[in-house]
Amino acid sequence: AQGILKSNILEKNDDLCVYDISSEALQTFKANGARIATTALEAAQVSDIVMVVVKPWFVQELLTSIREVLDYKKQQLIVVAAGISSTQVEEWLCKDGALLPFYLTIPNIAIEVLASMTFLVPFHSTEEQENLFPVPYRSPAGAHHQGSVSLLGQYQGEFRI
């Protein structure tokens, strides 16, 4: 998330809402202009794009915990966790037969120093939704994401509903 703040992908740093179990990490994000959430549910509710950046063994618990507060008509999800399949995410996100548009990607720590690249593999998204992401072949130089992003990171199972 520090890389997102440094990269100027967002129009304003406070368009990024972060939830993390580490109060130290949250203070670092806050000092850099990000909004801080006190729960994963809060962070999941406030943004257009929800990024789940956790160890693979926490993805199921986190997704099933936030599923009910996600707006399947307005929000999109990015899962940044190695080894998680689209079938698993579909199973964990399915709500009354509906699926949230989501993307899978792999962890890439070099983003923190702006020396990385990655990919987003879309599932259940439209071309219009996919075009929201500022990628070099779609967006002019300096283009920003218009909207808000929530980052749910370092989830360790302490989250309670």
Side-chain angles (χ1 to χ4, degrees):
Q2 292 296 342
I4 291 172
L5 294 173
K6 291 176 186 176
S7 70
N8 296 318
I9 288 174
L10 301 173
E11 286 187 359
K12 308 178 305 280
N13 280 354
D14 71 349
D15 283 340
L16 180 67
C17 179
V18 179
Y19 169 72
D20 195 301
I21 64 163
S22 165
S23 59
E24 184 178 314
L26 287 176
Q27 292 312 310
T28 300
F29 287 116
K30 188 174 183 177
N32 287 306
R35 286 180 295 139
I36 303 305
T38 58
T39 68
L41 282 175
E42 178 186 348
Q45 289 176 314
V46 299
S47 297
D48 305 318
I49 300 169
V50 177
M51 296 179 68
V52 172
V53 185
V54 296
K55 299 292 185 191
W57 49 89
F58 294 122
V59 174
Q60 179 180 7
E61 183 180 354
L62 180 56
L63 289 182
T64 57
S65 295
I66 66 172
R67 176 180 53 213
E68 295 306 316
V69 301
L70 294 171
D71 185 333
Y72 281 44
K73 293 180 180 171
K74 295 181 181 176
Q75 291 179 296
Q76 298 185 77
L77 174 79
I78 299 174
V79 177
V80 184
I84 298 298
S85 72
S86 60
T87 303
Q88 290 172 300
V89 175
E90 289 168 341
E91 178 184 325
W92 301 331
L93 285 178
C94 187
K95 181 169 66 173
D96 300 324
L99 286 167
L100 183 73
F102 69 93
Y103 305 80
L104 295 179
T105 191
I106 57 171
N108 187 334
I109 61 171
I111 189 173
E112 189 166 345
V113 293
L114 303 179
S116 71
M117 56 132 318
T118 194
F119 57 89
L120 295 175
V121 180
F123 295 91
H124 308 287
S125 60
T126 65
E127 185 174 344
E128 181 181 356
Q129 290 167 324
E130 293 168 21
N131 284 334
L132 291 175
F133 296 101
V135 291
Y137 60 89
R138 284 200 197 119
S139 300
H144 298 289
H145 168 68
Q146 304 259 333
S148 55
V149 176
S150 282
L151 178 75
L152 309 179
Q154 300 303 319
Y155 184 74
Q156 299 292 326
E158 285 88 357
F159 176 71
R160 302 281 185 260
I161 295 181

